[in-house]
Amino acid sequence: LFSRLYGPNLVETPKEDLFFYSRLFDDDGVAPEKALVVDDSPDAVQRAIEAGATAVLVTGPASGADGATAVIDRLAKLPRAIADIDFT
């Protein structure tokens, strides 16, 4: 499901920085509206959404994230969550 995994070292920007996802999308050559970010941090999910991406939060069932397209409790559920997302 993943073509490349990113960390702060690849875009020379801390993940907590507001520009992390913009730099990540630029580096990968993907338009933000075509990107899917999967993270276990509600803050990271929110920053990805603010950068224009679709985001899935992986967290326990009692947690959530404002604006996340999907919230799943384990990565095994990611393929189904992706199948339910309309990227158009």
Side-chain angles (χ1 to χ4, degrees):
L1 292 173
F2 304 100
S3 60
R4 186 171 183 190
L5 301 177
Y6 274 89
N9 59 318
L10 296 178
V11 290
E12 298 179 12
T13 305
K15 192 172 179 182
E16 298 77 22
D17 191 291
L18 294 175
F19 298 106
F20 175 77
Y21 287 104
S22 297
R23 289 185 178 179
L24 185 151
F25 302 144
D26 286 344
D27 182 75
D28 198 48
V30 65
E33 61 273 9
K34 297 292 185 184
L36 175 66
V37 173
V38 179
D39 206 293
D40 64 350
S41 164
D43 292 336
V45 163
Q46 190 59 44
R47 286 190 298 278
I49 291 167
E50 289 171 5
T54 299
V56 173
L57 177 66
V58 181
T59 187
S63 301
D66 292 336
T69 301
V71 178
I72 58 176
D73 61 354
R74 59 185 179 272
L75 282 176
K77 293 183 178 179
L78 184 59
R80 177 65 184 173
I82 291 172
D84 291 340
I85 295 171
D86 180 11
F87 285 97
T88 59

